[in-house]
Amino acid sequence: MSDDVVDVLIIGAGASGAAVAWSLADTRMNVLCLEQGDWMNPMAYPGTRLDWEMAQFGDFAFSPNVRKRRDDYPVNDADSPIAASMFNAVGGSTILYAAHFPRFRPGDFRTRTLDGVADDWPLDYRTLEPWYDVNARMMGVSGLAGDPAYPPKEVPLPPVALGKLGETLARGFNRLGWHWWPSDSAIATHDWEGRAACTNAGTCLVGCAQGAKASTDVTYWPVALRHGVKLRTRCRVREITVDANGMADGVVYYDAEGTEHRQGAHVVVVACNGIGTPRLLLNSRSSRFPDGLANRSGQVGRNLMFHPYGMVTGVFDEPLEGHKGPTGCCIMSQEFYETDRARGFVRGYSFEILRGFGPVFTALWGMGAGRLPWGPDHHRAYGELFDRTAGMVAICEDLPDPENRVTLDPALTDADGIPAPKITYRLSDNSKAMLAHAMARGKEVLEASGARATVAEAPLPFAGWHLMGTCRMGTDPETSVVNEWGRSHDVRNLFIVDGSIFVTAAAVNPTNTIQALALYVADRMKQNLANLFD
Amino acid sequence: MNDQQQRTLSSILDAIIPPSDDGRFPGAGALGLVAHIAAAIERAPELGLTIEPGLAAAEELARADRGRAFAELSGAQRQSVLQALDAAQPGFLPTLTFHAYAGYYQHPRVIEALGMEPRPPHPHGYAMEPNDLSLLDLVRRRATLYRAG
């Protein structure tokens, strides 16, 4: 048993936990983070091997149900057309993410006011703006200033290489007069703060052996540890405990050998992602909180948002050198971002241009798309696909629906016997209409770029990369889980800092906003230290 | 797999990915992908429950239709038997093809034949041309696209 009470206990060492740990380090408080995963060894990432592409079907798969690492917990996703994706390690899901790093736009925080849907956030873009700037420097964001789709913003590093593929697609967008811009990317395009520059290896989604991609094990954590934060790995928290006054007083966790420990804390910060956080709170039942900790509103686990994705792949006549460059970062378009009700849906989507397929994925995609026969015609058909595909995805704003939710599975558990999460999720009619629009527009721009054939798929069943909304923030304790600075309405020394506190999802990748929000919450904690629990 | 199964598998792999007419690309069986498939079965034994009955069925069909072992059939006869097999055992050929493609297109000899260096992406990565940001001139002329919060 480890009964030394720490000042602040952070649960989860991913995108948000790392940012909070770094921010709180300068308080000189005794800060401890418990992480169920371990440190990754970048030199063992699949990109160092010839068989790297197939790692996505094995121990570097998006889904924990496929990976089945000891550090993973299963997710019952049978009742969802989209499977949840996450990674458990120091760095969390930033180990596998694409590092596409856009900010939310000002209007994203005001969907009720602007469009009459969902709810406004209890804070605005201006509030987060300085924290986006801090995060840009800490993560090393590359991009290009001057995008008319955004207010002026700080971009410390020049944009990633667009390559022949990116410029081919850019010309297509120009032919249609549609917006596009080099993607904001959490990828060091020059050497940056001890990280080596991107080499365009194209292996981002199975871990960046170069260290150019900003996973938090190579950004926030080294600094936080130097500044005195303690990080204990292979520690899986079962529940947060409360004292007689209903305040959080620590956690019970299992170490790598499965031995149970208790860790006391004066403040608990939950940073376990939009599925792991509600799972932990729902597992933290007590006589005072019989429906789960911080759940008097009944909102814990509700309003799960994923961002429905659709993908369009174009086949071109000319080589595109698509195996070169960051996998998910090239150019993006927000031509269809804002609401135009004539399109048959509210809110909108972004397009993100991906790279082409490597040798193995060319074959497997061709097989799945019915474009690559086995037998005598195989080599001719493969030659028409290899280095001649360009992918693009539409990332659609997912509106909150209380029936889309995370609950505890009655039977499924992780290796330590802790009840696993179950997700229940339906695509809304709005999302379906948006996906249909996006697939048609995606084909249009690929054809304008010179594609001789296109293949669309929506929704992408494996693309539950973004986990949001399941402990939403708000000013009303009846309808939200945390207040406008991340503190639980019900438990005043409990904070949540991951994507679960999002009120809406916007139509961009969430990690930059998750971290800006975490930095903002940490700053508010520091500003209010004297009366943190009032 | 016993020797007979390995011979059958190698012949089927050569039928799935035959050598290219120009000689640049080897057949998947000749490339030695039997070992790749065997390793895949070792990692995921349930795969063997699809592959091994499929191999047996291929031999049965070859002997019933042609009176010879699958490996002794001509290229056209092998295609014909595999098409019949695909109808009789729908899971076998897609599963084997998936693993055959994965093994084939990560093999150094094939990667080299594709015109790439036969090496992992890391550490050398790939050189890329500087960006042509003049392509943005049209976009830069557009008005603000976002709504104020």
Side-chain angles (χ1 to χ4, degrees):
Chain A
M1 299 290 275
S2 170
D3 254 337
D4 295 337
V5 177
V6 296
D7 296 317
V8 181
L9 177 64
I10 302 167
I11 308 168
S16 61
V20 167
W22 170 81
S23 177
L24 293 181
D26 63 18
T27 64
R28 307 283 178 169
M29 290 192 292
N30 187 3
V31 180
L32 170 68
C33 178
L34 297 180
E35 163 58 48
Q36 66 189 316
D38 210 339
W39 286 93
M40 299 300 290
N41 173 11
M43 291 318 297
Y45 282 153
T48 60
R49 310 191 306 259
L50 269 176
D51 65 351
W52 67 275
E53 289 182 274
M54 288 306 289
Q56 284 195 28
F57 293 93
D59 59 353
F60 282 82
F62 297 135
S63 169
N65 299 342
V66 177
R67 282 194 311 268
K68 294 182 173 147
R69 288 172 178 252
R70 184 270 171 204
D71 299 341
D72 289 319
Y73 55 90
V75 179
N76 180 347
D77 54 18
D79 198 18
S80 170
I82 298 172
S85 159
M86 65 189 66
F87 199 76
N88 297 299
V90 178
S93 299
T94 63
I95 298 294
L96 297 191
Y97 79 156
H100 200 263
F101 222 60
R103 300 180 179 195
F104 277 22
R105 300 178 10 158
D108 291 328
F109 299 92
R110 292 284 178 273
T111 60
R112 168 62 61 181
T113 299
L114 293 175
D115 295 319
V117 294
D119 286 302
D120 291 348
W121 290 51
L123 48 75
D124 59 13
Y125 181 86
R126 291 286 169 215
T127 306
L128 287 189
E129 193 170 32
W131 307 110
Y132 278 128
D133 290 344
V134 170
N135 202 42
R137 293 189 291 274
M138 288 301 297
M139 295 290 276
V141 173
S142 62
L144 187 68
D147 184 352
Y150 278 92
K153 56 181 157 64
E154 183 178 313
V155 188
L157 288 156
V160 297
L162 306 187
K164 189 173 177 185
L165 185 154
E167 293 185 358
T168 298
L169 271 288
R171 289 188 187 91
F173 278 97
N174 281 347
R175 284 185 194 109
L176 296 173
W178 291 357
H179 167 266
W180 68 275
W181 202 259
S183 292
D184 279 1
S185 311
I187 292 174
T189 46
H190 291 164
D191 289 355
W192 182 259
E193 300 291 338
R195 287 158 51 206
C198 176
T199 59
N200 305 307
T203 59
C204 312
L205 301 189
V206 289
C208 177
Q210 178 76 351
K213 189 184 79 169
S215 48
T216 59
D217 58 328
V218 299
T219 59
Y220 280 105
W221 272 117
V223 187
L225 295 175
R226 277 202 302 277
H227 291 184
V229 174
K230 300 287 189 296
L231 171 57
R232 214 178 284 159
T233 59
R234 301 290 299 271
C235 294
R236 177 177 275 147
V237 175
R238 184 184 75 200
E239 63 179 297
I240 300 167
T241 54
V242 291
D243 65 16
N245 298 315
M247 298 285 273
D249 64 358
V251 300
V252 176
Y253 71 92
Y254 298 104
D255 66 17
E257 281 70 47
T259 304
E260 183 179 315
H261 297 267
R262 172 171 170 74
Q263 175 62 55
H266 297 301
V267 174
V268 175
V269 179
V270 187
C272 305
N273 81 44
I275 287 179
T277 288
R279 176 205 185 200
L280 175 59
L281 296 178
L282 293 171
N283 271 322
S284 302
R285 294 167 196 255
S286 60
S287 56
R288 193 179 282 265
F289 295 99
D291 299 321
L293 191 60
N295 193 26
R296 290 199 176 120
S297 65
Q299 293 299 308
V300 170
R302 292 193 180 273
N303 302 301
L304 172 65
M305 297 176 284
F306 274 132
H307 286 142
Y309 267 82
M311 180 168 179
V312 194
T313 302
V315 182
F316 291 73
D317 288 326
E318 298 298 318
L320 295 171
E321 300 183 344
H323 61 286
K324 300 179 179 178
T327 318
C329 298
C330 184
I331 65 174
M332 56 95 80
S333 170
Q334 294 191 335
E335 183 66 26
F336 304 102
Y337 199 90
E338 300 287 356
T339 296
D340 176 352
R341 290 182 189 274
R343 296 178 191 141
F345 54 87
V346 289
R347 306 297 296 162
Y349 57 88
S350 296
F351 279 131
E352 299 169 5
I353 307 308
L354 314 175
R355 305 290 169 167
F357 299 119
V360 172
F361 270 51
T362 297
L364 300 182
W365 177 81
M367 181 183 171
R371 292 181 166 273
L372 186 63
W374 55 268
D377 203 31
H378 177 82
H379 292 292
R380 184 202 58 76
Y382 187 86
E384 287 188 354
L385 297 178
F386 178 66
D387 201 21
R388 284 161 174 77
T389 59
M392 61 188 293
V393 289
I395 163 173
C396 296
E397 177 154 357
D398 199 359
L399 294 170
D401 176 346
E403 298 308 312
N404 288 338
R405 61 188 299 201
V406 177
T407 54
L408 295 178
D409 192 276
L412 192 65
T413 64
D414 62 27
D416 289 307
I418 306 171
K422 174 182 191 302
I423 57 175
T424 304
Y425 179 89
R426 298 280 178 276
L427 273 180
S428 68
D429 289 342
N430 196 66
S431 290
K432 289 176 187 169
M434 201 184 302
L435 281 168
H437 187 274
M439 294 301 90
R441 298 288 81 73
K443 288 183 173 188
E444 190 177 348
V445 75
L446 282 169
E447 286 164 3
S449 306
R452 62 177 168 77
T454 58
V455 178
E457 182 183 11
L460 284 186
F462 54 81
W465 294 308
H466 306 157
L467 312 172
M468 301 166 288
T470 49
C471 294
R472 65 177 178 173
M473 63 177 1
T475 53
D476 182 356
E478 298 297 316
T479 59
S480 57
V481 178
V482 298
N483 71 5
E484 66 277 16
W485 48 291
R487 192 182 75 179
S488 160
H489 291 300
D490 301 342
V491 185
R492 286 175 297 165
N493 64 342
L494 177 70
F495 293 80
I496 305 175
V497 293
D498 56 62
S500 59
I501 64 175
F502 280 23
V503 178
T504 57
V508 293
N509 315 60
T511 304
N512 198 1
T513 301
I514 288 172
Q515 292 183 304
L517 203 49
L519 292 170
Y520 165 72
V521 170
D523 184 67
R524 288 294 303 264
M525 290 170 73
K526 291 190 283 190
Q527 301 301 326
N528 292 299
L529 270 184
N531 50 359
L532 193 59
F533 309 143
D534 289 352
Chain B
M1 280 183 283
N2 59 36
D3 290 349
Q4 173 60 48
Q5 286 173 314
Q6 292 191 34
R7 271 196 299 278
T8 306
L9 177 57
S10 183
S11 303
I12 293 176
L13 288 168
D14 272 336
I16 290 172
I17 309 180
S20 63
D21 294 338
D22 61 8
R24 278 172 61 212
F25 293 92
L31 194 60
L33 288 195
V34 167
H36 172 81
I37 303 296
I41 293 172
E42 199 171 320
R43 282 194 306 273
E46 67 275 12
L47 183 60
L49 302 178
T50 302
I51 300 294
E52 288 174 16
L55 298 177
E59 283 301 338
E60 281 173 26
L61 277 170
R63 291 187 187 280
D65 288 3
R66 310 287 175 178
R68 283 184 289 169
F70 187 89
E72 294 165 8
L73 302 181
S74 70
Q77 288 169 335
R78 289 178 180 183
Q79 299 294 320
S80 166
V81 167
L82 286 186
Q83 278 158 7
L85 180 62
D86 200 22
Q89 296 213 6
F92 170 69
L93 212 46
T95 301
L96 182 58
T97 302
F98 176 92
H99 289 281
Y101 285 178
Y104 190 82
Y105 286 106
Q106 68 189 22
H107 196 288
R109 193 171 153 201
V110 174
I111 292 174
E112 198 160 22
L114 290 170
M116 298 172 71
E117 293 177 64
R119 60 166 174 86
H122 184 80
H124 299 300
Y126 305 104
M128 295 181 76
E129 297 295 316
N131 293 329
D132 177 6
L133 295 179
S134 69
L135 287 166
L136 280 168
D137 290 350
L138 274 173
V139 188
R140 289 182 195 277
R141 289 200 286 272
R142 292 188 66 168
T144 295
L145 288 170
Y146 63 90
R147 288 187 288 179

